[in-house]
Amino acid sequence: MKIGIDKLGFYAPHLYVDMNDLAKERGIDPGKFTIGLGQDEMAVPPVTQDPVSLAANAADQILDEEDKEKIDLVIFGTESGVDHSKSAAVYIHQLLGLNPRARSVELKQACYGATAGIQMAKGHIALHPDKKVLVLASDIARYGLNTPGESTQGAGAVAILVSASPRLLELESESTYYTEDIMDFWRPVYSTTAYVDGKYSNEQYIAFFQKVWKDYQEQTGRNLEDFAAIAFHLPYTKMGWKALRTVIEDASEEVQERLKNNYQISTKYNRNVGNIYTGSLYLSLISLLENQDELKEGDTIGLYSYGSGAVGEFFSGKLQPGYKKHLQTAEHQAMFANRECISVAAYEKVFEESLPTDGSEKQLNIDEDPAKICLAGVKDHIRSYAAK
Ligand code: HMG
């Protein structure tokens, strides 16, 4: 039985800041952001979007009534969840009108959470082939104004429908993973922004890639030539290339060219959104599938997932016949086209806006947010959402 990704949806907030403007305002050469990091634009979430509403907007695009009936497991991967106790998956369940006869949970391991969710979803579908699993990857990446991590912020969500007989990507059973307790990036429960040892995190991302890639080669006998493309977790778009270039010389010139070219295409959307933590790898996959017309049925795509702290995994999937017809290319391109570029001063203002944490009530103005599903406010410590 084939099990894999049947549908992929993506949502980013409607506001963004141009990285050239941010660089100028911070007194930095813009080339550092656009070339050194490979980021052109950074999504800015208004206070009316949180990880729950972002994910609901991503999932709303792809689910039909049959999906809603058949989903009996909702897995929400996030590291910016809105409650220490209640899972974001339960909020989503209600917002999307899913069948109540379902399990709903939140998973956390930095940017790796959604990959763990996808692997669990595969096991669930193997036991219940007539069901579907909704995996959500949604985050707001915050390091703080004027910090070294500021240029690698972002916000957005990917919704992934996992099922038998998938129409996009069959997930193969070969997969290699590695865990080691390190402090490269973390966010203590009292902090709204992440702590990071930037250089060390880069080194560990690469070291974990090399470990799982070597294990994968040994386990499967595959090499780089077996892949049409490899998509990476992208905290910024140069990061995956820094890992890939450490192994790419093992391949022929032709294979190197192909992987390099497809790597560039897989970074297109991420360049304009920034880091979305759990969803970054899957945004890169969407970017590849929607923007590369030369991929074909049966092509193998490699995927490298990394979540600080840290867990890394290398796995793979096979493109399915007619997959192009089942992508949301036009919707995603329209979403990008309709975003609004804001000044650095406006971004800083939006960044500082937050819900009260002292129990007081706040109603938000959702008229300025074009998203279908918005965070509408908080009252008695309870968040309320509105679907327009
Ligand atoms: P930094 O100190 O701002 O930048 O840190 P830098 O000095 O390292 O420069 C960055 C690059 O720009 C360098 O290129 C420079 O040479 C180049 P490299 O040597 O790396 O190839 N550069 C220029 N290029 C062209 N024109 C110029 C110019 N000037 C400089 N004029 C850092 C950058 C990414 C470390 C920082 O932003 C940071 O700490 N970000 C957050 C951490 C992060 O993203 N780590 C990535 C790996 S960990 C991960 O992926 C997990 C994560 O997603 C979290 C999770 O799992 O939940 C973060």
Side-chain angles (χ1 to χ4, degrees), residues 79-144:
E79 54 178 299
S80 43
V82 300
D83 195 293
H84 287 310
S85 176
K86 179 171 172 168
S87 83
V90 172
Y91 285 101
I92 282 286
H93 199 272
Q94 190 274 332
L95 281 168
L96 297 173
L98 303 180
N99 183 347
R101 287 182 179 74
R103 295 187 178 121
S104 304
V105 289
E106 188 170 305
L107 276 189
K108 178 174 66 189
Q109 175 27 56
C111 300
Y112 174 75
T115 301
I118 287 174
Q119 298 296 6
M120 289 174 189
K122 265 174 69 187
H124 184 78
I125 298 298
L127 289 173
H128 309 282
D130 56 326
K131 299 296 184 188
K132 298 186 184 193
V133 181
L134 179 62
V135 179
L136 300 151
S138 181
D139 276 299
I140 295 177
R142 284 169 70 90
Y143 293 88

Side-chain angles (χ1 to χ4, degrees), residues 79-320:
E79 54 178 299
S80 43
V82 300
D83 195 293
H84 287 310
S85 176
K86 179 171 172 168
S87 83
V90 172
Y91 285 101
I92 282 286
H93 199 272
Q94 190 274 332
L95 281 168
L96 297 173
L98 303 180
N99 183 347
R101 287 182 179 74
R103 295 187 178 121
S104 304
V105 289
E106 188 170 305
L107 276 189
K108 178 174 66 189
Q109 175 27 56
C111 300
Y112 174 75
T115 301
I118 287 174
Q119 298 296 6
M120 289 174 189
K122 265 174 69 187
H124 184 78
I125 298 298
L127 289 173
H128 309 282
D130 56 326
K131 299 296 184 188
K132 298 186 184 193
V133 181
L134 179 62
V135 179
L136 300 151
S138 181
D139 276 299
I140 295 177
R142 284 169 70 90
Y143 293 88
L145 302 176
N146 273 301
T147 61
E150 182 182 32
S151 48
T152 60
Q153 296 179 146
V158 175
I160 303 153
L161 190 65
V162 178
S163 72
S165 309
R167 283 170 289 183
L168 299 180
L169 193 74
E170 176 194 1
L171 292 167
E172 299 182 292
S173 48
E174 294 85 358
S175 166
T176 49
Y177 28 88
Y178 182 80
T179 295
E180 193 180 322
D181 183 3
I182 59 168
M183 295 306 282
D184 61 331
F185 165 106
W186 66 103
R187 184 163 69 85
V189 284
Y190 50 79
S191 178
T192 57
T193 49
Y195 288 79
V196 63
D197 185 341
K199 300 278 179 261
Y200 180 57
S201 72
N202 287 356
E203 287 161 20
Q204 290 304 312
Y205 174 110
I206 296 170
F208 274 59
F209 170 69
Q210 290 171 339
K211 283 191 184 95
V212 292
W213 169 240
K214 186 166 173 284
D215 286 353
Y216 184 90
Q217 283 179 294
E218 284 170 9
Q219 201 182 95
T220 62
R222 283 184 179 167
N223 280 310
L224 290 173
E225 53 261 33
D226 295 307
F227 293 90
I230 301 179
F232 286 78
H233 165 57
L234 294 177
Y236 55 93
T237 71
K238 197 167 171 194
M239 188 68 244
W241 171 241
K242 286 187 188 188
L244 182 58
R245 75 183 174 198
T246 67
V247 301
I248 202 165
E249 280 178 8
D250 298 344
S252 68
E253 289 286 321
E254 187 195 334
V255 172
Q256 289 193 34
E257 253 335 284
R258 180 177 77 218
L259 294 178
K260 256 192 229 174
N261 180 41
N262 285 341
Y263 176 77
Q264 286 311 328
I265 296 171
S266 77
T267 64
K268 186 171 181 218
Y269 289 166
N270 306 65
R271 284 189 82 90
N272 296 325
V273 174
N275 194 357
I276 58 167
Y277 291 161
T278 45
S280 289
L281 165 62
Y282 301 99
L283 178 57
S284 176
L285 175 65
I286 295 173
S287 183
L288 175 73
L289 300 186
E290 293 187 353
N291 295 295
Q292 170 54 293
D293 290 330
E294 286 167 17
L295 294 172
K296 51 187 192 316
E297 160 187 354
D299 276 352
T300 306
I301 312 292
L303 297 117
Y304 173 58
S305 183
Y306 178 78
S308 284
V311 180
E313 178 158 347
F314 191 92
F315 60 113
S316 52
K318 281 210 178 303
L319 285 177
Q320 295 305 291

Side-chain angles (χ1 to χ4, degrees), residues 9-43:
F10 166 63
Y11 183 76
H14 73 293
L15 304 176
Y16 73 91
V17 68
D18 186 310
M19 295 304 279
N20 292 289
D21 296 345
L22 184 64
K24 279 181 215 141
E25 199 62 35
R26 298 291 180 253
I28 290 172
D29 181 336
K32 177 172 174 183
F33 293 168
T34 56
I35 302 165
L37 297 177
Q39 291 305 131
D40 293 331
E41 294 165 357
M42 182 170 87

